[in-house]
Amino acid sequence: MPSAPKRLQQKQTLKYDAVMLFWRTVTQIFFREIRPRGAFNIPRDGPVIFVGAPHNNQFLDPLLLSLEVYRETHRQVQFLTAAKSMDRQWIGFFARLMDSIPVARAADSAIPAAGRVWLSPDDPCLVLGEGTQFTKDFSPKMQIMLPKSVNSAVAEVSEVLSDTELKIKREFGGDSGKGTARIREHVVELRQEGIPGLEFKKMPYVDQQSMYRHVYQCLNEGGSIGIFPEGGSHDRTDLLPLKAGVSIMALGAMANDPNIKVKIVPVGLSYFHAHRFRSRAVVEFGSALDVPPEYVEMFKQGGSQKREAVSKFLNLIYDGLKTVTIRAPDYDTLMLIQAVRRLYKTPSQHLTLGQVVELNRRLLEGYVHFKDEPRVQKLRTDVLKYNRLLRDIGLRDHQVPRAKKASWKTLGLLSYRMILLIIWALLALPGTILNAPMFITASILSRKKAKEALAASVVKIAGRDVLASWKVLIALGVTPVLYTLYAILATIVAVRAQLPMQWRIATPFLALISLPFMNYAALKFGEAGMDVLKSLPPLIIALIPGQQRSLNKAKQQRVQLANEVAALINEFGPKLYDDFNQSRILVPSASVPPSTGTPGLWRRKSSIGAVDAQGLGLIHPMTWIDERLFGWSRSAKRGTSAWSGISGDEASRIGTPDETDEEDTGDYDNVVGIVTSSEDANAKFKSRQSSYADLQRLRQNHAPPTIAGKESSASALEPSAQNLDGLHPIDRHRKRRESLSDNIAVGRIAALDRREDFSHATQGLNSEVDSHRREFVD
């Protein structure tokens, strides 16, 4: 019979498993796709602190992080949660189920105080007041907070001199003096209006010893802690300054017990339209950081040494977060980088969500580094002009290359998709009507919550960071009530219809069971319908008289911009990245991480379908009709099965409804294929793994990179990609061919006769490797 502690642990594990199952279901409904990156970096045992950033989605951020850690390692993560949030009924209920650790924040208990204050002109640490009651309102270690007009500057009170004078420990805004200068300038402006000084609030001293004890106990037991060190959620494009708490936790735990080795895992969360229903997210785990022993020794000494150790280790954590987050100085720059990333897309390359995040990050680093270059400035201006043109004609960037002149095919394809859209809409209509009260309520109340959060915060821009969280919470509260109401209405209808007694009794149960399935079906049909709807603009634009000139102008601008983007990246890329010539900014995707070297963009093998992110092939018939009936791609000429999804990025094709912008595309298992010449358009390769990737990179390095919009892929890859006759294309209906073994030198692959049959070449190279291995063993 198991002991009491073991039974308690089993009960706790079962409770956590049930909570994770529930939230997995909820997040899979709200998000269309959630992708982990670098999950192999998660330590399987030992004390770990997961440091997440940016905190752009209030209550969903810790959920996604916990779910991915649980799925990969089955580890439980105890998150530090604001005590104010845990006081909320439902949020506190779920937070306690997940064993969250409450954190009291002084700002949550801030109270307006009487009078007005300003700084002494001689001493920036001396606060003067008029109509104030400092002796009554303040005591040492309490904090004083100034209004939002001066960024809600906070300082700790060191001494109360009188009702109108008090000393603060450090000047507002730190030792740089910027905060002091701004406060004094604002006071001058107020006095010109007849106002003596600033309003202020008093904040109590909060003893965090209880919280730290919980953290240290968890780490001593080899557990996992989760924290968002920015302190609160926000919707900015850059990180907020990190709080020192995470550094104190790691150093304090190791100072208290030298036998434990705490690891810090930086985690970046990237959302594509985070506040929208059915958006996508990437959870990226960086390399685990060890706590330097010298910092632990400095921490033990206390005083200035302790503060220095905390500061230095916090800088290390911040550097780790830089590797997994996208940090733009402003929203316009972020939009510019996303536009450039779409322009820098080589033919036959479908970026995974992880690659989109990585390419955005690298392009942003390059832009920040070279933004003062005249060519970069001109590119920024041209890209913004191009974006304005697209808004004027009603297209998105990815739709420009595929918009065609009006023809019977265009009209036929538009008519077919309109009919299909009507079909999907009709199938989704019942569930949409049934769920309409929930959607409307969640939308209205979440916007109200966002306004409240925005008014109470100094770091939020539009309050979008709380929208998704409140939509989920409100939906969770409204759904049971709504379903119960429908069950009651169904029962009343059954009674009035005088159905047999057994049917009257079964009606509410049947309603409660069938409603979730009906609504999930509506979700999938509606999602397929939205994919069709997104594919209509280029077809409609092509049929509107007079739009062809604007369309041609947009295409011409796109080609010019794509070429300029490629030229700039080829010029500046090698200056910023040592491995640029080997990987062309991005390393290839693969099924498993490499055993050595830089992890790059490696990800797990996915069993999810390439066409529909949730594996339900509702839009496959559209691909089939597009290709077979309207002949809208080269693959139609050779009868490629449309059920395999999209295999290329042909410029001659209007994209099928599943081929949308990268933010809306699935995570394809086979990402990059070789671009062939126009004479041999059939030779496409879907695998880019092991030594075959070396062959691909070798061929790319011998020729300039190509970009969608150039005249032909043949000119871009000659002579290396034009003689691939010996490497036969994949037949999706045949058994998967052999792949090359690892450790085959690139030079040996390049020495192959291009006319040699692929299978013979593969067998020969593998035999050579086996022979060398046997000789080495002997």
Side-chain angles (χ1 to χ4, degrees):
M1 183 175 180
S3 62
K6 190 172 183 179
R7 286 199 303 271
L8 179 60
Q9 183 179 3
Q10 291 174 346
K11 184 178 179 180
Q12 292 285 345
T13 302
L14 182 61
K15 178 187 69 174
Y16 193 78
D17 291 346
V19 173
M20 288 293 100
L21 177 62
F22 172 76
W23 284 119
R24 173 68 64 185
T25 304
V26 171
T27 54
Q28 288 295 329
I29 292 174
F30 186 84
F31 290 97
R32 185 167 184 169
E33 189 174 9
I34 303 171
R35 289 289 180 187
R37 285 190 66 207
F40 50 87
N41 287 317
I42 304 174
R44 266 48 183 176
D45 50 34
V48 181
I49 300 178
F50 292 97
V51 183
H55 199 0
N56 286 156
N57 219 332
Q58 192 177 30
F59 300 122
L60 292 181
D61 284 342
L63 279 180
L64 295 191
L65 197 159
S66 299
L67 285 167
E68 294 307 319
V69 171
Y70 178 78
R71 184 170 70 171
E72 296 292 338
T73 65
H74 221 67
R75 295 192 67 158
Q76 176 178 349
V77 181
Q78 291 182 251
F79 263 93
L80 273 70
T81 306
K84 181 180 178 181
S85 296
M86 293 193 70
D87 289 338
R88 301 177 187 267
Q89 184 177 1
W90 290 107
I91 297 173
F93 171 74
F94 285 111
R96 284 185 286 273
L97 285 178
M98 298 174 68
D99 294 329
S100 296
I101 300 173
V103 180
R105 298 184 301 189
D108 293 335
S109 303
I111 302 173
R116 298 266 179 169
V117 296
W118 62 91
L119 296 180
S120 167
D122 302 321
D123 184 359
C125 292
L126 178 61
V127 180
L128 306 177
E130 179 179 304
T132 54
Q133 301 175 355
F134 289 157
T135 55
K136 177 182 177 182
D137 292 336
F138 288 97
S139 60
K141 292 191 176 182
M142 291 183 66
Q143 292 176 301
I144 178 172
M145 182 197 299
L146 300 184
K148 292 177 66 174
S149 56
V150 288
N151 292 332
S152 296
V154 175
E156 181 181 330
V157 176
S158 61
E159 183 181 2
V160 179
L161 303 177
S162 67
D163 276 342
T164 57
E165 292 183 345
L166 64 78
K167 296 279 290 185
I168 55 176
K169 193 172 183 179
R170 295 185 188 88
E171 59 180 294
F172 290 99
D175 298 330
S176 64
K178 292 182 180 180
T180 299
R182 180 165 185 172
I183 292 169
R184 285 175 172 163
E185 290 173 2
H186 195 62
V187 169
V188 172
E189 295 173 0
L190 290 174
R191 287 180 175 175
Q192 291 175 353
E193 301 174 4
I195 303 173
L198 299 165
E199 294 178 335
F200 66 102
K201 294 180 179 180
K202 58 180 181 179
M203 297 193 300
Y205 168 70
V206 177
D207 186 0
Q208 301 286 9
Q209 293 303 314
S210 176
M211 179 269 293
Y212 281 112
R213 280 196 297 271
H214 281 93
V215 171
Y216 293 154
Q217 181 181 355
C218 176
L219 295 176
N220 286 337
E221 295 173 355
S224 304
I225 294 294
I227 183 173
F228 286 88
E230 293 173 285
S233 66
H234 62 93
D235 51 355
R236 292 180 175 268
T237 57
D238 202 352
L239 298 182
L240 299 178
L242 305 187
K243 306 294 184 183
V246 60
S247 186
I248 296 173
M249 291 171 194
L251 294 171
M254 292 185 64
N256 292 337
D257 187 350
N259 295 321
I260 67 171
K261 303 296 181 184
V262 178
K263 289 185 178 295
I264 306 292
V265 177
V267 185
L269 293 103
S270 301
Y271 295 96
F272 301 91
H273 312 296
H275 60 291
R276 294 181 183 175
F277 181 60
R278 302 302 286 169
S279 59
R280 288 183 164 94
V282 175
V283 183
E284 181 174 358
F285 297 90
S287 300
L289 307 175
D290 292 317
V291 180
E294 59 270 24
Y295 291 172
V296 178
E297 293 302 320
M298 292 171 62
F299 186 87
K300 290 179 181 179
Q301 295 177 22
S304 60
Q305 290 289 310
K306 177 179 179 180
R307 288 193 295 272
E308 185 179 356
V310 170
S311 177
K312 287 184 175 181
F313 189 51
L314 195 64
N315 290 335
L316 286 182
I317 295 172
Y318 187 72
D319 290 339
L321 286 173
K322 288 181 182 178
T323 66
V324 292
T325 55
I326 300 174
R327 302 163 49 253
D330 52 64
Y331 182 77
D332 289 339
T333 300
L334 183 61
M335 294 299 100
L336 172 70
I337 293 305
Q338 290 184 357
V340 170
R341 184 256 303 161
R342 287 189 288 267
L343 291 168
Y344 189 71
K345 180 181 178 185
T346 56
S348 293
Q349 183 175 9
H350 293 286
L351 299 181
T352 68
L353 287 182
Q355 285 177 318
V356 168
V357 171
E358 178 68 11
L359 188 51
N360 277 341
R361 181 159 49 239
R362 292 199 175 195
L363 289 174
L364 190 54
E365 289 175 357
Y367 174 76
V368 171
H369 194 272
F370 299 107
K371 64 181 179 181
D372 295 327
E373 294 286 338
R375 289 179 63 190
V376 175
Q377 290 294 322
K378 184 178 182 302
L379 178 65
R380 178 187 176 106
T381 302
D382 293 342
V383 169
L384 294 177
K385 288 181 180 178
Y386 172 69
N387 285 341
R388 285 195 293 270
L389 176 61
L390 293 188
R391 285 196 298 269
D392 292 340
I393 63 178
L395 286 182
R396 294 184 179 182
D397 174 71
H398 69 277
Q399 296 171 330
V400 172
R402 300 177 177 87
K404 297 296 175 181
K405 293 182 180 180
S407 67
W408 72 268
K409 287 185 178 181
T410 308
L411 181 60
L413 188 57
L414 177 61
S415 302
Y416 160 68
R417 290 186 179 174
M418 290 292 291
I419 294 172
L420 198 59
L421 179 61
I422 293 172
I423 293 173
W424 291 148
L426 290 175
L427 291 173
L429 189 60
T432 303
I433 294 175
L434 290 175
N435 283 307
M438 178 182 64
F439 291 146
I440 295 172
T441 303
S443 178
I444 294 174
L445 293 183
S446 62
R447 291 180 184 277
K448 180 181 178 182
K449 290 291 184 181
K451 290 181 179 179
E452 293 175 358
L454 183 61
S457 173
V458 296
V459 297
K460 301 182 192 298
I461 298 175
R464 287 186 172 182
D465 55 303
V466 305
L467 283 174
S469 296
W470 280 105
K471 285 179 181 178
V472 170
L473 292 172
I474 293 166
L476 287 176
V478 173
T479 300
V481 176
L482 192 63
Y483 283 9
T484 302
L485 178 62
Y486 288 147
I488 294 172
L489 292 175
T491 305
I492 292 173
V493 171
V495 171
R496 293 198 172 187
Q498 297 182 353
L499 295 179
M501 182 57 65
Q502 61 268 28
W503 284 108
R504 298 182 191 181
I505 296 174
T507 296
F509 300 101
L510 292 174
L512 292 175
I513 293 172
S514 61
L515 279 170
F517 291 100
M518 184 186 303
N519 293 331
Y520 183 76
L523 172 69
K524 300 307 298 182
F525 287 129
E527 196 168 86
M530 288 302 298
D531 288 336
V532 179
L533 185 63
K534 291 175 184 177
S535 73
L536 298 183
L539 299 174
I540 297 174
I541 294 296
L543 293 173
I544 296 177
Q547 285 291 327
Q548 193 60 46
R549 180 178 300 177
S550 298
L551 195 57
N552 291 337
K553 182 180 178 182
K555 287 187 176 184
Q556 183 179 4
Q557 284 190 14
R558 193 184 194 283
V559 171
Q560 293 172 352
L561 287 173
N563 291 335
E564 180 63 16
V565 166
L568 281 175
I569 290 176
N570 290 337
E571 178 181 347
F572 295 121
K575 299 178 182 179
L576 199 59
Y577 298 105
D578 295 334
D579 63 342
F580 178 85
N581 289 327
Q582 285 73 35
S583 59
R584 315 307 307 176
I585 282 187
L586 287 175
V587 299
S589 291
S591 301
V592 294
S595 56
T596 59
T598 305
L601 297 178
W602 304 95
R603 59 177 174 80
R604 299 179 306 110
K605 190 77 171 178
S606 170
S607 60
I608 297 176
V611 176
D612 184 59
Q614 299 298 329
L616 185 60
L618 294 177
I619 52 181
H620 292 149
M622 296 183 295
T623 308
W624 194 91
I625 293 292
D626 285 351
E627 295 191 351
R628 298 301 180 91
L629 180 60
F630 296 100
W632 228 250
S633 73
R634 294 193 185 105
S635 61
K637 298 177 182 178
R638 67 172 188 268
T640 299
S641 170
W643 292 88
S644 297
I646 299 170
S647 59
D649 189 22
E650 301 90 343
S652 65
R653 174 181 182 175
I654 289 182
T656 47
D658 57 302
E659 189 174 17
T660 57
D661 200 358
E662 281 83 1
E663 285 89 347
D664 300 317
T665 349
D667 195 0
Y668 294 87
D669 283 333
N670 299 290
V671 179
V672 181
I674 292 180
V675 183
T676 63
S677 65
S678 57
E679 291 80 12
D680 187 19
N682 293 344
K684 291 190 174 79
F685 299 93
K686 297 178 67 177
S687 179
R688 193 178 177 181
Q689 302 173 9
S690 300
S691 297
Y692 197 69
D694 295 333
L695 174 60
Q696 167 69 349
R697 288 198 296 271
L698 180 70
R699 289 173 173 172
Q700 288 180 344
N701 291 340
H702 283 232
T706 58
I707 295 195
K710 287 191 177 181
E711 293 181 359
S712 71
S713 58
S715 62
L717 286 175
E718 64 184 26
S720 59
Q722 294 188 25
N723 298 315
L724 298 174
D725 296 338
L727 301 177
H728 298 305
I730 292 176
D731 185 343
R732 296 181 181 86
H733 298 289
R734 286 186 286 174
K735 186 174 70 174
R736 185 176 180 86
R737 67 189 178 191
E738 286 187 283
S739 61
L740 294 175
S741 299
D742 291 332
N743 303 321
I744 297 179
V746 175
R748 179 67 187 90
I749 301 175
L752 288 174
D753 186 351
R754 302 296 173 86
R755 292 168 296 181
E756 184 178 358
D757 181 81
F758 181 86
S759 61
H760 292 163
T762 302
Q763 292 174 4
L765 291 174
N766 290 343
S767 298
E768 289 182 19
V769 173
D770 292 339
S771 176
H772 288 311
R773 286 175 179 169
R774 285 195 296 271
E775 291 176 3
F776 178 78
V777 172
D778 295 340

